[in-house]
Amino acid sequence: LWMTPVYMVLLSGIFKIVSIQLFTARMFSSIIAAYTILIAYQIGKNLNFSKSRIFLIIGFIVTDLVFLKYSHISRMESLCFFFGILSIYFLSLKREIPTQKIYLFFSGISISMSFLSHPFGIIHSLAILGFLLYKKDLNFKNIFLIFLASLIPLSVWAMYI
């Protein structure tokens, strides 16, 4: 009951739709990795990076041996990294004042889901702080809103266990 549940719950849902095979579990991780690369590309576009810089960043991701390992075998790190990148994606969106809180909220939900996919996901919180510092949005109000949003999935997990 104390294991982080998101990867196992999603994989069991996939197994209900598609047959229970090792190939299915590996393809699930590979598809998540492909979406992670697409989100990393979109983050680069949102930050107005040049095409060559975006492809360099994606090149670093796809040639990383750890990324290659967990994206081709059934490992929960693929989902953990996906939610960590998704959290940064929400922070990279162009924010006007009315929608700013929604993006911070979704970022908090995503960072919590990253942790609930694999305990290493807590490290992505440092990346979020660094990104907020980069965007000059690092203030108590933003951190508090992200923290409050992250408590929602954690509370559901706490009620479950």
Side-chain angles (χ1 to χ4, degrees):
L1 291 176
W2 288 96
M3 286 298 295
T4 51
V6 173
Y7 182 78
M8 291 175 268
V9 169
L10 287 178
L11 188 59
S12 67
I14 295 295
F15 283 157
K16 284 192 174 276
I17 297 169
V18 186
S19 64
I20 301 174
Q21 295 179 5
L22 183 58
F23 176 76
T24 303
R26 288 180 175 174
M27 283 307 297
F28 178 60
S29 289
S30 295
I31 290 169
I32 291 170
Y35 279 115
T36 302
I37 293 166
L38 289 174
I39 290 173
Y41 175 79
Q42 194 60 44
I43 290 170
K45 282 181 60 177
N46 291 347
L47 296 176
N48 296 322
F49 288 169
S50 66
K51 292 267 188 206
S52 60
R53 182 183 248 180
I54 292 172
F55 286 119
L56 180 67
I57 292 168
I58 290 173
F60 281 134
I61 292 172
V62 299
T63 58
D64 179 39
L65 295 177
V66 176
F67 181 81
L68 288 171
K69 178 183 175 184
Y70 70 66
S71 63
H72 290 42
I73 59 176
S74 182
R75 299 282 306 203
M76 60 184 74
E77 288 93 341
S78 59
L79 196 61
C80 175
F81 188 51
F82 170 78
F83 281 120
I85 289 287
L86 188 64
S87 181
I88 293 173
Y89 168 75
F90 285 122
L91 294 178
S92 74
L93 292 171
K94 303 280 188 247
R95 294 182 278 165
E96 290 79 33
I97 296 300
T99 59
Q100 180 178 10
K101 288 185 170 88
I102 284 288
Y103 294 141
L104 291 169
F105 179 81
F106 285 140
S107 178
I109 295 286
S110 297
I111 201 66
S112 183
M113 295 295 282
S114 175
F115 172 72
L116 289 175
S117 299
H118 190 283
F120 188 74
I122 197 74
I123 297 298
H124 293 135
S125 301
L126 297 174
I128 295 301
L129 289 175
F131 192 80
L132 285 173
L133 185 63
Y134 169 77
K135 293 286 282 184
K136 297 177 179 57
D137 278 344
L138 186 62
N139 59 47
F140 180 75
K141 188 171 83 171
N142 290 348
I143 293 171
F144 186 70
L145 185 58
I146 290 172
F147 175 73
L148 279 180
S150 70
L151 289 179
I152 295 170
L154 290 173
S155 300
V156 172
W157 181 47
M159 287 188 295
Y160 170 73
I161 59 172

